[in-house]
């Protein structure tokens, strides 16, 4: 069953592709973002379709567009969220086609933002336009938000909205990035759906030692002490934690893959064995690192500061560490795990914290995603997923909104979302995008009318 005839879909696709190409051509690289012209473009499309948008400027040049299609109010709203900013495309010479020209070549639309996430903003827009044009009186309000500044931490986008205009975005459910794209492995086609994401806990490790002259040995200097701590952190031996999302992910993945591979994956559910399996057994080291991040808090020392002159032993040395928290974990939990590893004698202080977010990996909304994916891809298998990075979901979940990453897309078997995302030659395949658009619009319609 399809909502429209194929010829009707073709008209919708044509409009969608025009909007997506236009969005890519706005250079919204963050920093500085400069999303305002792009937000105005969207606002213009919405108003010309009889929907009155709110254009909110969180700071000069930082545009956010919000619209609401009012339903009967029988059920709480559904929010469709996307961000307008993109990461840098430098050096542009590494691209096959210029990153902001939105070329249509080889069956793809090429450009920065083609996957992260202007294709999804466009799909969100098309869902809103479709509901409006069909004159559907839904049970839920449908809210559309296209926001600034996700890539640099949400200060002028989702975080700003949640802090300053919570009533505009308050909803029961939100659909955003990252999930719904196909991933082929062991002859099966999975569609991971973000149900949880890690939080951020950036902290400093400070070591102190006796200052002195560089000509006299100083084995307990601040620099030497700090390097010992860094070396310990580099071993990444923080303890294992199984969270509900990852438990569901591993159970579903292992049972669908089956055989020896499935059995090995199942062992990741066992605290005493998982670390050994990840570090010593899994042949694919890249995959092993992803599993590690799903089952542990992680720490990455990234900035080191100490000393000014070669012949002076400094009194202090410090490192900034990018720490990531699993759902259920607090900065205090992480610092205590770090303390266990590096030992005493260091000052640890947190300077940035974003909460992890997690939804019930058995939430009934997943069945709706599955139903509509299977409608166009009978072999689709959905996987609740925890992502190691953070999205706007971190902010929306503070309002109690259940955020799920669902921007359906059928990728070619040899394509990896992870590699195209933030990479050179970011692109979206037109056929796979059409598939995703059908699934998405039909999912949204069911969510606001029957769910
Ligand atoms: Zn993104």
């Amino acid at each position: 069953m399809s909502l429209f005839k194929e010829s009707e879909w073709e008209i919708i696709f044509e409009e969608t592709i025009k909007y997506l190409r236009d969005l890519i051509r706005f250079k919204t690289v963050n920093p500085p973002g400069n999303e305002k012209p792009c937000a105005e473009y969207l606002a213009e499309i919405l108003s010309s379709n009889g929907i009155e948008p709110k254009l909110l400027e969180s700071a000069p040049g930082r545009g956010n567009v919000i619209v609401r299609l009012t339903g009967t109010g029988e059920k709480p709203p559904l929010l469709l969220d996307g961000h307008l900013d993109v990461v840098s495309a430098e050096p542009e010479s590494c691209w096959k086609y210029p990153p902001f020209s939105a070329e249509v070549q080889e069956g793809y639309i090429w450009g920065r933002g083609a996957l992260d996430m202007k294709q999804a903003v466009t799909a969100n827009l098309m869902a809103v336009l479709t509901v409006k044009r069909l004159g559907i009186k839904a049970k839920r309000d449908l809210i559309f938000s296209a926001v600034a500044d996700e890539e640099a931490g949400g200060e002028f986008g989702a975080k700003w909205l949640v802090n300053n205009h919570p009533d505009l975005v308050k909803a029961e459910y939100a659909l955003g990035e990252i999930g719904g794209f196909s991933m082929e492995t062991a002859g099966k086609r999975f569609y991971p759906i973000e149900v949880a994401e890690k939080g951020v806990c950036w902290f400093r490790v400070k070591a102190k030692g006796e200052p002195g002259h560089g000509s006299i040995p100083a084995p307990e200097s601040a620099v030497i002490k700090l390097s010992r701590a860094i070396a310990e952190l580099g071993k990444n031996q923080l303890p294992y934690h199984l969270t509900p999302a990852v438990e569901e992910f591993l159970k579903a993945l292992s049972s669908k893959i089956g055989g020896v591979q499935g059995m090995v994956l199942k062992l990741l559910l066992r605290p005493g064995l998982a670390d050994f399996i990840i570090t010593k057994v899994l042949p694919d080291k890249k995959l092993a690192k992803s599993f590690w991040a799903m089952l542990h808090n992680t720490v990455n020392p990234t900035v080191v500061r100490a000393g000014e002159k070669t012949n002076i032993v400094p009194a202090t040395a410090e490192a900034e560490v990018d720490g990531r928290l699993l759902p259920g974990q607090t900065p205090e939990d992480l610092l205590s795990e770090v303390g266990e590893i590096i030992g005493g004698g260091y000052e640890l202080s947190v300077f940035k914290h974003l909460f992890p977010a997690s939804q019930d990996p058995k939430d009934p909304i997943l069945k709706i995603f599955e139903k509509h994916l299977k409608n166009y891809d009978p072999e689709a298998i959905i996987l609740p997923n925890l992502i190691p990075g953070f999205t706007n979901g971190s902010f929306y979940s503070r309002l109690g909104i259940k955020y799920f990453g669902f921007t359906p897309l059928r990728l070619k078997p040899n394509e990896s979302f992870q590699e195209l995302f933030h990479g050179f030659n970011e692109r979206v395949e037109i056929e796979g995008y059409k598939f995703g658009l059908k699934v998405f619009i039909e999912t949204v319609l069911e969510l606001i009318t029957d769910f």
Side-chain angles (χ1 to χ4, degrees):
M1 269 289 287
S2 179
L3 178 67
F4 297 112
K5 283 189 253 157
E6 210 45 44
S7 57
E8 295 168 329
W9 276 122
E10 279 308 319
I11 296 168
I12 296 174
F13 293 144
E14 212 174 295
E15 184 181 3
T16 308
I17 284 165
K18 180 198 176 318
Y19 294 153
L20 172 57
R21 295 184 69 200
D22 285 349
L23 288 185
I24 292 172
R25 292 189 189 110
F26 288 97
K27 195 170 179 177
T28 51
V29 173
N30 187 10
N34 192 29
E35 300 89 347
K36 195 180 168 195
C38 187
E40 284 169 343
Y41 169 83
L42 285 171
E44 179 60 43
I45 296 171
L46 288 157
S47 25
S48 66
N49 279 273
I51 309 167
E52 226 22 78
K54 282 196 166 58
L55 191 60
L56 303 169
E57 211 174 335
S58 48
R62 312 307 298 267
N64 297 276
V65 196
I66 316 282
V67 290
R68 177 184 297 255
L69 294 182
T70 315
T72 63
E74 222 173 301
K75 290 277 184 83
L78 169 69
L79 169 67
L80 307 180
D81 179 68
H83 62 83
L84 295 175
D85 61 321
V86 295
V87 295
S88 163
E90 296 290 339
E92 296 192 9
S93 56
C94 289
W95 289 69
K96 194 165 176 187
Y97 303 100
F100 300 99
S101 65
E103 303 247 0
V104 176
Q105 297 283 356
E106 305 169 45
Y108 290 85
I109 300 168
W110 299 70
R112 179 57 87 222
L115 281 180
D116 182 20
M117 61 175 294
K118 287 174 171 168
Q119 96 294 359
V121 170
T122 312
N124 291 349
L125 172 72
M126 293 310 294
V128 170
L129 295 182
T130 304
V131 172
K132 172 76 180 170
R133 289 168 185 170
L134 293 178
I136 291 168
K137 201 62 184 164
K139 286 181 187 162
R140 297 177 191 269
D141 286 4
L142 181 62
I143 309 171
F144 166 96
S145 57
V147 305
D149 199 32
E150 191 274 340
E151 299 291 358
E155 213 60 51
F156 303 106
K159 184 178 175 187
W160 181 83
L161 280 173
V162 163
N163 289 338
N164 296 283
H165 299 280
D167 293 342
L168 292 182
V169 288
K170 185 90 179 79
E172 181 181 14
Y173 287 101
L175 306 187
E177 52 181 352
I178 290 168
F181 42 85
S182 61
M183 186 189 86
E184 308 226 355
T185 184
K188 312 270 184 205
R189 195 156 46 251
F190 294 98
Y191 289 81
I193 313 272
E194 181 198 316
V195 302
E197 62 185 61
K198 289 178 95 172
V200 169
C201 174
W202 291 354
F203 62 95
R204 291 192 182 89
V205 181
K206 192 168 179 183
K208 290 183 180 164
E210 199 58 36
H213 193 270
S215 60
I216 304 297
E220 285 304 308
S221 77
V223 172
I224 305 285
K225 282 187 195 167
L226 182 69
S227 2
R228 281 204 294 263
I230 291 175
E232 286 306 315
L233 292 176
K235 294 180 192 162
N236 255 308
Q237 287 171 330
L238 302 186
Y240 171 97
H241 302 283
L242 184 62
T243 54
V246 177
E247 183 173 358
E248 282 307 308
F249 171 87
L250 288 173
K251 281 181 180 167
L253 186 66
S254 57
S255 77
K256 293 294 177 185
I257 286 183
V260 178
Q261 254 182 309
M263 271 162 57
V264 171
L265 287 173
K266 215 168 180 180
L267 294 177
L268 297 181
L269 293 162
R270 311 235 320 241
L273 279 174
D275 290 4
F276 175 78
I277 300 286
I278 296 173
T279 51
K280 305 278 189 253
V281 179
L282 292 181
D284 181 340
K285 295 301 161 204
K286 218 162 134 190
L287 191 68
K289 285 182 191 166
S290 305
F291 282 128
W292 186 273
M294 292 174 96
L295 290 162
H296 303 78
N297 295 326
T298 57
V299 282
N300 254 319
T302 46
V303 177
V304 178
R305 285 189 207 93
E308 300 271 345
K309 295 195 91 164
T310 311
N311 62 348
I312 295 177
V313 178
T316 61
E318 65 170 38
E320 288 182 8
V321 183
D322 182 347
R324 301 296 173 126
L325 302 170
L326 284 167
Q329 299 282 310
T330 64
E332 293 71 37
D333 296 331
L334 178 68
L335 294 193
S336 113
E337 291 184 349
V338 166
E340 286 290 315
I341 283 184
I342 64 175
Y346 298 97
E347 276 174 31
L348 303 178
S349 57
V350 175
F351 64 95
K352 186 180 174 81
H353 171 220
L354 288 179
F355 291 92
S358 69
Q359 314 308 331
D360 179 358
K362 292 179 176 163
D363 192 286
I365 200 171
L366 291 155
K367 288 274 174 228
I368 309 293
F369 299 153
E370 182 177 39
K371 172 181 149 186
H372 291 284
L373 280 168
K374 277 185 182 290
N375 192 22
Y376 291 100
D377 178 4
E379 287 167 34
I381 302 167
I382 67 159
L383 270 186
N385 192 23
L386 170 137
I387 64 154
F390 72 90
T391 71
N392 284 340
S394 166
F395 307 112
Y396 293 127
S397 46
R398 285 190 214 170
L399 295 177
I401 301 172
K402 296 184 249 180
Y403 181 96
F404 290 88
F406 186 66
T407 62
L409 199 62
R410 174 90 177 256
L411 298 177
K412 293 247 172 85
N414 57 347
E415 277 177 342
S416 147
F417 185 81
Q418 274 78 11
E419 272 158 35
L420 292 170
F421 195 86
H422 293 196
F424 298 120
N425 296 320
E426 184 177 344
R427 60 192 183 274
V428 63
E429 198 225 358
I430 293 173
E431 285 310 309
Y433 185 42
K434 288 180 178 177
F435 160 88
L437 194 75
K438 289 176 176 174
V439 172
F440 187 71
I441 290 179
E442 293 181 6
T443 303
V444 170
L445 285 187
E446 174 157 2
L447 291 177
I448 59 171
T449 54
D450 282 335
F451 178 66

